[in-house]
Amino acid sequence: MPIDTDDLSQKTFRAIMVEAEKFNHDLTLQFGLLSYECEDEKDFIVKSKQLIHEMLKYNHAEIDEMFLGDPPAKKDFHQVLRKMLGNIEKL
């Protein structure tokens, strides 16, 4: 049965969801949607890490689409993704 972000521990929620929200709500939505594809928190962490690695490869058009036509600077986007990866490693 899929999980919801409300099912995550506070530590995981802060490491991923809060960090994404501090950057941009559109980024948070990506991880919220991802949670519906996960069976448990561990699966969410693994898939979040995979998604971040995928996002690091996004081109300008993909970033533009994800942020609904108002993309952040690629450098800033990559910086927050790397911070999230660091947070995940600490889990």
Side-chain angles (χ1 to χ4, degrees):
M1 178 161 196
I3 65 166
D4 183 79
T5 56
D6 292 339
D7 299 321
L8 300 172
S9 68
Q10 284 192 1
K11 189 173 182 179
T12 298
F13 188 83
R14 282 192 307 269
I16 299 170
M17 301 302 293
V18 171
E19 199 65 50
E21 185 65 32
K22 285 193 300 190
F23 181 72
N24 187 293
H25 183 69
D26 293 331
L27 181 58
T28 310
L29 291 174
Q30 300 301 310
F31 292 93
L33 292 171
L34 178 66
S35 72
Y36 295 112
E37 300 174 16
C38 302
E39 295 181 22
D40 56 26
E41 184 168 331
K42 184 177 179 181
D43 190 32
F44 177 74
I45 292 168
V46 169
K47 288 182 178 174
S48 291
K49 193 173 178 180
Q50 291 169 345
L51 178 59
I52 292 169
H53 283 292
E54 186 179 313
M55 288 177 175
L56 284 166
K57 297 175 187 172
Y58 281 6
N59 62 34
H60 179 75
E62 292 168 314
I63 295 171
D64 186 63
E65 182 179 328
M66 186 172 123
F67 289 95
L68 308 171
D70 188 20
K74 192 172 186 177
K75 177 185 168 191
D76 296 338
F77 180 50
H78 283 193
Q79 185 176 11
V80 74
L81 293 175
R82 287 188 186 98
K83 180 159 178 47
M84 292 170 71
L85 282 174
N87 291 349
I88 290 170
E89 292 303 317
K90 293 175 186 174
L91 294 174

